[in-house]
Amino acid sequence: NYGESVILSASKPGNSCQVSQQKITVSGTVSGLTVTCAPTTYLISGTNGTGALVSISGTTESNTATSAGTFGFNAKFGETVTLTATKEGYTCTVDGLPITLPAYNVQANVVCEPNTYSIRGSTDGATITVSGSSVSNEVTVSEGTYQLSAKYGDGIYLSATKVGYTC
């Protein structure tokens, strides 16, 4: 009705909108109003107790990769983002991927497991003994060749003994 005050608002899913004049008094034709909407920004956060480098792709937001204990990245409504974690000698996974926004209170956690490597060599009949932090003491010996498995970063010690010989 003429002379009444009206409060204007605008909305668009996944956006934050502003009206140039939120309160107007009706006194004929209203013009000159502008509505601006911008996609809502969401926080994607999580824990990274592994020391892996965590980065984000698929967003137009500016983010910096981090290897800290926790991380937080920004992304906009409608984007599908992927987090990656890398650490030398480890295979890392990030749970809950890919993330399509809107998603509220997104928590993504990083898990890294050390890679396992094979160690092989030859022996002339000597007994091979291995020790290390997480090394299996199982050494397979077949036709003069030995083999064992160890995880990245293990301190591995091999020793050989043979009756009547100095090894």
Side-chain angles (χ1 to χ4, degrees), residues 44-60:
I44 300 165
S45 61
T47 58
N48 175 19
T50 66
L53 180 66
V54 181
S55 57
I56 187 170
S57 61
T59 181
T60 58

Side-chain angles (χ1 to χ4, degrees), residues 15 29 54 64 71 74 81 111 130 150 157 161:
N15 285 260
T29 302
V54 181
T64 303
F71 58 87
N74 292 316
V81 299
V111 176
V130 62
Y157 303 96
T161 56

Side-chain angles (χ1 to χ4, degrees), residues 107-161:
Q107 290 289 312
N109 298 304
V110 177
V111 176
C112 295
E113 295 293 331
N115 293 333
T116 300
Y117 298 92
S118 292
I119 300 170
R120 296 180 189 133
S122 60
T123 177
D124 63 355
T127 300
I128 306 297
T129 305
V130 62
S131 61
S133 56
S134 68
V135 177
S136 165
N137 284 328
E138 295 180 26
V139 177
T140 304
V141 178
S142 174
E143 298 179 16
T145 302
Y146 68 90
Q147 180 176 331
L148 63 116
S149 295
K151 294 196 181 287
Y152 179 84
D154 280 342
I156 299 168
Y157 303 96
L158 295 176
S159 60
T161 56

Side-chain angles (χ1 to χ4, degrees), residues 87-102:
K87 183 176 181 180
E88 182 182 352
Y90 288 75
T91 300
C92 300
T93 57
V94 182
D95 63 0
L97 295 179
I99 301 163
T100 300
L101 301 172

